Amino acid sequence: MCSGRILVPHPPTVLAVKPATLLDRLPKVEDFSYRLRGPQVTSRVGRWLGVAFAVAFLTGVWSHLQQDTPGWLSVPTRPVRLYQVTQGLHIIAGTVAVPLLLVKLWSVFPRFFQRPPRPGRALLVHLLERLSIGVLMAAAIFQLVTGLANSSQWYPWSFSFRSTHYAVAWVAITALIVHVAVKLPVIRAALGVPVEAAVPPDGVEEPREHEGETRSGGLTRRGLLRTTWVAAGLAALATAGASVPVLRNVSLFAVRSGEGPQGLPVNRSADAAGVVGIADDPDWRLEVTYQGESRTYDRDELMAMPQSTHVLPIACVEGWSATATWTGVRMADLVTAMGAPAASDVLVTSMQRFGAFGASLLPEDHTADPLTLLALQVNGMTLNLDHGYPCRIIAPNRPGVWQTKWVQRLEIDA
Ligand SMILES: Nc1nc2c(c(=O)[nH]1)N[C@H]1C(S)=C(S)[C@@H](COP(=O)(O)O)O[C@H]1N2
Ligand SMILES: [Mo]
């Protein structure tokens, strides 16, 4: 109700408070309840978070090597589903890490308010520890946020996703190893006592004010952990749907698990790639070149060559994968028809004129592999324009990005 008085804003009291008092107003580490928190919970969640990060790191390094293969490495063509499995695991591990990281951060959050010790050696150690945790937290959050955004094909940043995500992965894993090494005594002790133990184990300097409260009604630590595992499990199931057909119906997070034309998702459509009217032009000819010689084929000529049919997955870096039955000409046949050895590197160029996926290099082991096709059909039908009509590359154990669609030219480089 209106009192008729003029409302005068309160003076900004905060400015009048001395810095020392301001610090006092912040909550203290003892102000938080340790009924559910504590090293017993943190270490148990942290253990699985560490596993998730390790899996994400190893599969991520592998993905990087497959996409940007250094000279000393020759990526095997078998098992044909290797990349499908490693990249599926990568995305599942990253998604599972989200609820685990949230619970872990919540469980240690009060420590943020721990007062630093007096100047001296103790302060230095304290600051170093805080710094390493700050780096770890920032790197972990950055990896999960950019990774999840990328797997939803959302790029709200201007830096290169792949090189940044890869570089920060090394920062995160290094900080993680340092963190585990520093905390090892605490982790060991905390894992050695029951979750519900009221008294923090030796070597753990957690506040003890809330001792004995552990079992007082409501959620228990055991219950909290169980809830965390269920959340992590649901995250895994929801993500796995992007690769495992029977899980598709529960794949809430699996953005492109929905069916595209011919039962396969599409990452970039013909329209988005700007090839409509070019790729379906009846005058299209495939050009194959080798040592200055070149040869062209129209689609009927390719269809008249011996055809092979193989079941192979498309495994996208962004986490989804789908298996299909592909029919087409063996890459090795096209290469040997030019007088080149079957084991030749082949530069594949698409009709797509822009974007990073307009070309790919097929390494010699992949060219020679009888499963590698210049596919003309999928699941018994002429390739849909969105799947790369008139022809596309399909090779075993190969990141989806390099399964080039709308092929224009094959340059053999023996
Ligand atoms: N020319 C061209 N080929 C391409 C792409 C592209 O953008 N342009 N996308 C690649 C990516 S990232 C994937 S995962 C697969 C997806 O194939 P699909 O759309 O037939 O499922 O095609 C690959 N081939
Ligand atoms: Mo992809």
Side-chain angles (χ1 to χ4, degrees):
M1 226 176 273
C2 184
S3 67
R5 279 193 293 150
I6 297 164
L7 285 172
V8 179
H10 286 291
T13 43
V14 171
L15 291 181
V17 176
K18 287 189 207 120
T21 347
L22 191 67
L23 196 65
D24 287 342
R25 284 192 176 189
L26 286 175
K28 295 188 190 66
V29 66
E30 306 83 24
D31 294 342
F32 294 87
S33 165
Y34 279 78
R35 195 171 66 76
L36 291 176
R37 290 188 176 93
Q40 296 96 314
V41 168
T42 308
S43 58
R44 281 167 175 82
V45 176
R47 180 164 54 181
W48 288 107
L49 184 59
V51 170
F53 264 88
V55 170
F57 178 76
L58 293 173
T59 51
V61 168
W62 176 249
S63 175
H64 190 81
L65 289 174
Q66 280 222 246
Q67 282 188 69
D68 215 347
T69 313
W72 52 264
L73 181 74
S74 137
V75 171
T77 59
R78 310 296 160 88
V80 299
R81 292 183 185 275
L82 181 61
Y83 190 76
Q84 182 183 34
V85 170
T86 61
Q87 198 57 13
L89 282 176
H90 184 73
I91 307 291
I92 291 172
T95 314
V96 162
V98 174
L100 297 179
L101 183 67
L102 289 175
V103 174
K104 188 168 187 290
L105 287 179
W106 171 84
S107 78
V108 292
F109 168 70
R111 291 186 144 255
F112 187 69
F113 297 101
Q114 207 168 2
R115 302 291 187 269
R118 304 194 163 281
R121 212 181 105 87
L123 179 64
L124 189 70
V125 171
H126 174 85
L127 290 179
L128 282 176
E129 201 229 346
R130 290 289 113 142
L131 182 73
S132 79
I133 287 186
V135 170
L136 175 58
M137 252 173 57
I141 293 172
F142 180 88
Q143 289 301 83
L144 296 184
V145 169
T146 55
L148 281 183
N150 178 261
S151 67
S152 348
Q153 276 211 318
W154 183 45
Y155 297 83
W157 49 74
S158 55
F159 52 80
S160 148
F161 168 78
R162 189 148 66 88
S163 46
T164 315
H165 195 71
Y166 181 63
V168 178
W170 286 96
V171 176
I173 206 73
T174 309
L176 181 68
I177 290 169
V178 170
H179 180 65
V180 171
V182 168
K183 294 280 178 184
L184 205 55
V186 179
I187 298 170
R188 279 240 180 90
L191 290 177
V193 298
V195 210
E196 301 292 359
V199 183
D202 285 350
V204 179
E205 4 75 50
E206 290 290 343
R208 297 176 181 225
E209 279 74 14
H210 298 269
E211 262 173 41
E213 274 187 37
T214 320
R215 283 163 210 284
S216 63
L219 189 63
T220 58
R221 286 184 188 156
R222 210 182 294 284
L224 174 78
L225 284 182
R226 221 174 276 141
T227 312
T228 307
W229 309 146
V230 169
L234 287 176
L237 272 181
T239 318
S243 298
V244 186
V246 293
L247 293 177
R248 288 250 149 104
N249 294 336
V250 296
S251 60
L252 299 170
F253 302 154
V255 189
R256 275 173 311 302
S257 61
E259 305 287 273
Q262 300 172 320
L264 267 186
V266 173
N267 223 30
R268 183 174 284 132
S269 67
D271 192 30
V275 296
V276 176
I278 302 169
D280 48 358
D281 183 342
D283 289 338
W284 169 85
R285 297 285 182 278
L286 172 75
E287 190 188 3
V288 187
T289 67
Y290 177 57
Q291 292 185 342
E293 305 271 315
S294 87
R295 198 167 157 177
T296 58
Y297 299 84
D298 65 19
R299 204 170 184 282
D300 290 341
E301 287 168 323
L302 291 170
M303 285 295 286
M305 291 178 72
Q307 305 286 302
S308 303
T309 296
H310 300 299
V311 175
L312 288 174
I314 293 262
C316 183
V317 218
E318 288 166 347
W320 64 267
S321 59
T323 299
T325 305
W326 306 91
T327 303
V329 183
R330 277 188 193 152
M331 190 54 76
D333 289 351
L334 288 163
V335 169
T336 50
M338 295 296 291
S344 301
D345 288 347
V346 176
L347 179 65
V348 182
T349 317
S350 169
M351 284 171 252
Q352 182 184 345
R353 285 285 155 262
F354 56 87
F357 310 151
S360 65
L361 185 76
L362 200 62
E364 53 181 43
D365 288 352
H366 276 80
T367 307
D369 194 298
L371 295 187
T372 302
L373 301 179
L374 184 70
L376 302 162
Q377 293 176 286
V378 62
N379 296 336
M381 293 165 268
T382 298
L383 272 183
N384 185 285
L385 192 56
D386 284 338
H387 288 310
Y389 178 91
C391 61
R392 77 171 304 163
I393 299 295
I394 190 83
N397 182 31
R398 193 141 164 88
V401 234
W402 303 141
Q403 308 276 35
T404 307
K405 306 197 273 191
W406 315 293
V407 174
Q408 172 74 78
R409 197 175 324 113
L410 303 174
E411 287 165 57
I412 305 165
D413 178 19

